[in-house]
């Protein structure tokens, strides 16, 4: 298979405008004849469903939550990037493009990255018009702060709840279309398969999570906006319901999976406090604007943090990366924290954390100013830990967070399965091997509001004579029977170990051998152990209850079954990429001072993987990366 990214010709800054000028359109009368399914109601899902409904298409929107407002976009607290240059500090679309490409360690397409930076200009105006309460300066102008990996202030924020406020804006737009009956909303429905007819995505099979009923839904195009699969590690910043099943089921129907091993570990999470935990809490990266990160210089330090003088503290990010300091990119900051913790300098009851200290910021700016910026985050920290971060340092630790990998998509955000599109974190497209903070909300929003409405219309322009897609087609029957068979098999195992046991075991295995650091021996071991664990799962998992009713254990079992296969592919991907880049740190490939050692001569490509049946190893298909605007350089933040 040869991958065609469909990148428009011409200068970089003209590609998107040229595409929009030449893309095919669907006139308003014909839009009413076309059905579109959108799976997921986060920022990407709600924005595209609302946009398509407003345009006149017939849209069905699905989410497994009880309300679209419960989508995990609410958890992206710190801000959203836009190259507005309000601070007059040298920012521009081009600067944002360079920062993002460099932040991803030159493992993303130039055209996609530039388009995201370009579209960022319109997003802030769109959000303000929706009523998003961005932070403002005294004179009323929108305020900005800085995030990791950049030297300008381009992050717009609504205190520490930017994702929630942006999602509320998209949710209101969505519900307006639901009220106008342009969009049908199906909450508490989980997609279990994509239906392919004559090589095109034509619908989905879903399970009503309240009744257990299996349903068929047909459409001319299917859009997946279902987020990432970082919950595969079990302990992560993601909500318990987050999963990778939608994109994985699509992968097994013919959509290639790209760069699955590129999983970001966030440096600013609360540390694990015990084996009882099912998730970790994310503290916003925005805190690194004013907080200073350090550990004691002595590994056996027993003094309280406020009693440790400056000369006995190691501000290791400021020491190692003086140009960026505490705002070094996430992958670098997380690895640096892990290095200090592994070396015995961790703090806290389990010695698994580092300090994030606001004493200097409070002294310089006053407590009131810090409270205005981060008050809700400090309150959350106090409620969870019982400690007051105004009077003593926070304790933070790296935690699995965001998946840069996802379904392979071309410039139009369409997968290798015609008619199947993937938006937001469900695709791999814009972040390369590491995502810069505050680019996740940006990508999800611009995919839904400004990009997919054009590209999907270009595809659907050839579907206006197709006619209604019938759910009576044999492929719907075949897909439904396969899903029912899988459900029955899970319920019939009647083993002795819980689904959570297998999820926890898999998660620890991946964190240890395919997490912040990887090596060949560990990855081969992980693949071997995942195969064994998967076999044990199908022999000894305990899934109680019935299929025709509410059954959360059955939901989890299906998702964990997919996680075994996703985890195995993550390890294969990490094993074949014999270099270190971004979040992928192979211990065999590093500089003398412990920095990532990229290999552009052999690995300047996107790894796309094809599913193989009967336990065969997946097939690697390469999409070469070409850089015309800027040439890859050694990624240094020193």
């Amino acid at each position: 298979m040869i991958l065609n990214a469909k990148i428009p010709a011409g200068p970089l800054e003209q590609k998107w405008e040229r595409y929009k000028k030449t893309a095919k359109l669907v006139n308003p009368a014909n839009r009413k004849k076309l059905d579109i399914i959108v799976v997921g109601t986060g920022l990407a899902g709600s924005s595209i469903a609302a946009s398509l409904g407003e345009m006149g298409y017939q849209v069905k929107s699905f989410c497994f939550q009880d309300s679209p407002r419960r989508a995990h976009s609410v958890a992206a607290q710190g801000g959203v990037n836009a190259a507005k240059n309000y601070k007059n500090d040298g920012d521009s679309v081009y600067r944002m493009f360079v920062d993002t490409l460099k932040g991803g360690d030159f493992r993303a397409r130039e055209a996609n990255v530039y388009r995201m930076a370009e579209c960022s200009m319109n997003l802030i105006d769109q959000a303000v018009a929706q009523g998003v309460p961005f932070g403002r300066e005294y004179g009323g102008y929108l305020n900005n702060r800085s995030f990791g990996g950049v030297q300008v202030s381009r992050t717009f924020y609504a205190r520490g709840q930017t994702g929630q406020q942006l999602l509320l804006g998209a949710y209101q737009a969505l519900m307006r279309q639901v009220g106008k009956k342009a969009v049908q909303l199906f909450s508490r429905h989980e997609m279990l398969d994509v239906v392919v007819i004559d090589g095109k995505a034509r619908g989905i099979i879903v399970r009503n999570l309240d009744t257990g009923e299996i349903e068929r839904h047909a459409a001319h195009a299917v859009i997946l906006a279902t987020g990432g699969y970082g919950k595969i590690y079990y302990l992560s910043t993601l909500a318990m319901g987050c999963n990778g099943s939608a994109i994985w089921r699509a992968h097994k129907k013919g959509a290639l999976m790209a760069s699955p091993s590129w999983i970001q570990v966030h440096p600013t999470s609360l540390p694990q406090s015990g084996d009882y935990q099912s998730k970790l809490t994310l503290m916003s990266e925005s805190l690194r604007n004013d907080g200073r990160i350090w550990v004691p210089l002595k590994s056996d330090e027993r003094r309280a943090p406020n009693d440790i003088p400056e000369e006995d503290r190691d501000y290791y990010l400021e020491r190692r990366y003086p140009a960026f300091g505490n705002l070094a990119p996430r992958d670098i900051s997380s690895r640096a924290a892990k290095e200090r913790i592994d070396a015995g300098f961790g703090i806290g009851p389990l010695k698994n954390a580092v300090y994030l200290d606001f004493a200097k910021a409070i002294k310089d700016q006053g407590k009131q100013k810090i409270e205005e910026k981060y008050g809700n985050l400090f309150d959350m920290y106090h409620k969870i830990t019982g400690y007051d971060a105004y009077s003593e340092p926070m304790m933070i630790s790296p935690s699995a967070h965001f998946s840069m990998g996802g379904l392979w998509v071309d410039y139009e955000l369409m997968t290798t399965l015609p008619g199947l599109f993937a938006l937001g974190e469900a695709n791999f497209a814009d972040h390369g091997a590491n995502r810069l903070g505050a680019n996740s909300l940006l990508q999800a929003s611009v995919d839904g509001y400004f990009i997919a409405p054009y590209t999907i219309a270009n595809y659907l322009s050839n579907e206006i004579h197709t006619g209604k897609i019938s759910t009576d087609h044999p492929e719907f029957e075949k897909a439904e029977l396969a899903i029912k068979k899988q459900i029955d098999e899970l319920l019939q195992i009647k083993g002795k170990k819980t689904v959570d046991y297998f999820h926890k075991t898999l998660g620890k295995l991946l964190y240890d051998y395919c997490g912040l650091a990887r090596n060949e021996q560990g990855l081969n071991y992980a693949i071997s152990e995942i195969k064994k664990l998967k076999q044990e799962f199908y022999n000894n998992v305990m899934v109680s209850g019935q299929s025709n009713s509410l059954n959360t254990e059955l939901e989890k079992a299906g998702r964990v079954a997919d996680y075994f296969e996703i985890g195995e592919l993550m390890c294969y991907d990490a094993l074949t990429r014999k270099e270190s880049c971004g979040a992928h740190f192979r211990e065999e490939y590093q500089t003398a001072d412990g920095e990532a050692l990229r290999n552009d001569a052999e690995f300047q490509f996107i790894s796309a993987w094809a599913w193989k049946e009967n336990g065969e190893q997946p097939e690697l298909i390469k999409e070469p990366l070409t850089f015309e605007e800027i040439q890859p350089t050694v990624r240094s933040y020193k």
Side-chain angles (χ1 to χ4, degrees), residues 280-294:
L280 298 173
T281 302
L282 172 67
M283 301 302 292
S284 170
E285 182 172 314
S286 60
L287 294 168
R288 293 202 282 151
N289 273 283
D290 290 299
R292 300 180 70 197
I293 296 172
W294 62 277

Side-chain angles (χ1 to χ4, degrees), residues 111-306:
N112 286 72
V113 174
Y114 191 91
R115 179 176 63 182
M116 183 175 72
E118 187 180 0
C119 290
S120 74
M121 304 289 280
N122 294 326
L123 175 61
I124 302 305
D125 301 329
Q126 162 98 0
V128 170
Q130 290 178 329
V132 174
F134 286 122
R136 294 180 182 268
E137 296 176 332
Y138 179 77
Y141 292 104
L142 297 183
N143 206 352
N144 297 118
R145 53 192 178 202
S146 190
F147 257 54
V150 304
Q151 293 178 307
V152 298
S153 295
R154 69 165 64 104
T155 304
F156 293 78
Y157 61 91
R159 295 189 77 186
Q161 48 185 254
T162 314
Q164 179 178 344
Q165 297 301 326
L166 284 171
L167 184 61
L168 285 173
Y171 168 74
Q172 289 173 146
L174 171 65
M175 295 310 292
R176 179 172 180 267
Q177 297 306 314
V178 172
K180 294 173 64 177
K181 303 198 183 307
V183 176
Q184 286 181 269
L185 179 62
F186 295 84
S187 58
R188 297 288 296 151
H189 282 68
E190 181 173 25
M191 186 201 110
L192 297 180
D193 208 356
V194 176
V195 178
V196 181
I197 300 174
D198 298 329
K200 294 182 177 181
R202 292 303 197 191
I204 61 175
I205 304 296
V206 301
R207 181 173 181 268
N208 183 319
L209 298 182
D210 292 327
T211 67
E213 182 181 359
I214 303 298
E215 302 174 6
R216 309 175 185 181
H217 294 271
H220 297 90
V222 176
I223 302 168
L224 300 184
T226 53
Y229 48 93
K231 193 61 186 174
I232 194 169
Y233 290 98
Y234 192 75
L235 280 177
S236 80
T237 65
L238 278 69
M240 284 302 294
C242 293
N243 63 88
S245 287
I247 61 173
W248 190 251
R249 306 290 172 95
H251 170 62
K252 294 173 80 169
K253 282 297 183 73
L256 297 189
M257 191 84 167
S259 309
S261 67
W262 290 346
I263 307 281
Q264 183 173 82
V265 174
H266 200 292
T268 320
S269 166
L270 296 189
Q272 181 182 4
S273 57
D275 291 338
Y276 57 86
Q277 282 182 264
S278 59
K279 78 174 298 293
L280 298 173
T281 302
L282 172 67
M283 301 302 292
S284 170
E285 182 172 314
S286 60
L287 294 168
R288 293 202 282 151
N289 273 283
D290 290 299
R292 300 180 70 197
I293 296 172
W294 62 277
V295 293
L297 273 176
K298 301 175 183 176
S299 60
D300 59 349
E301 181 64 73
R302 296 189 178 184
R303 287 174 289 182
N306 289 340

Side-chain angles (χ1 to χ4, degrees), residues 340-509:
R340 290 289 80 194
I341 291 169
D342 290 349
F345 296 93
I347 55 91
L350 300 181
K351 303 296 182 183
N352 62 346
V354 298
Y355 288 125
L356 179 61
D357 196 336
F358 290 86
K360 186 176 187 302
I362 291 172
K363 179 181 178 182
D364 293 346
Q365 303 175 42
K367 180 180 177 182
Q368 182 178 349
K369 191 66 176 178
I370 298 302
E371 192 170 1
E372 288 174 4
K373 291 181 181 179
Y374 314 114
N376 61 316
L377 296 171
F378 279 56
D379 290 345
M380 182 171 71
Y381 182 82
H382 183 259
K383 287 179 181 177
I384 294 171
T385 67
Y387 295 109
D388 177 13
Y390 293 109
S391 59
E392 60 182 296
M394 285 185 179
M395 291 183 286
I396 59 168
S397 181
S399 176
H401 180 56
F402 186 94
S403 43
M404 282 76 66
L407 291 179
W408 184 93
V409 293
D410 58 24
Y411 189 73
E412 297 183 306
L413 305 184
M414 187 160 71
T415 69
T416 49
L417 184 56
L420 180 70
F421 294 79
L423 276 58
E425 196 179 351
N427 73 38
F428 86 103
D430 293 354
H431 307 297
N434 172 62
R435 177 177 65 78
L436 291 186
N439 271 350
S440 59
L441 293 178
L442 172 62
Q443 184 210 357
S445 297
V446 300
D447 279 3
Y449 285 127
F450 304 127
I451 298 174
Y454 285 97
T455 64
I456 290 169
N458 188 60
Y459 171 79
L460 290 175
S461 64
N462 296 316
E463 296 291 328
I464 56 178
H465 300 297
T466 300
K468 208 77 172 171
I469 308 297
S470 172
T471 56
D472 293 331
H473 193 282
E475 289 298 330
F476 275 93
E477 177 75 17
K478 180 181 176 182
E480 181 180 330
L481 289 175
I483 288 301
K484 287 181 175 177
K485 180 182 177 184
Q486 181 196 36
I487 290 172
D488 289 342
E489 287 175 349
L490 288 171
L491 289 169
Q492 289 169 10
I493 295 171
K494 301 187 185 304
K496 296 182 179 179
K497 292 185 178 179
T498 65
V499 176
D500 282 346
Y501 163 81
F502 288 99
H503 193 175
K504 284 182 181 180
T505 306
L506 174 66
K508 188 175 188 311
L509 192 63

Side-chain angles (χ1 to χ4, degrees), residues 103-115:
D105 222 350
F106 299 95
R107 289 294 178 260
R109 297 187 198 126
E110 282 188 334
N112 286 72
V113 174
Y114 191 91
R115 179 176 63 182

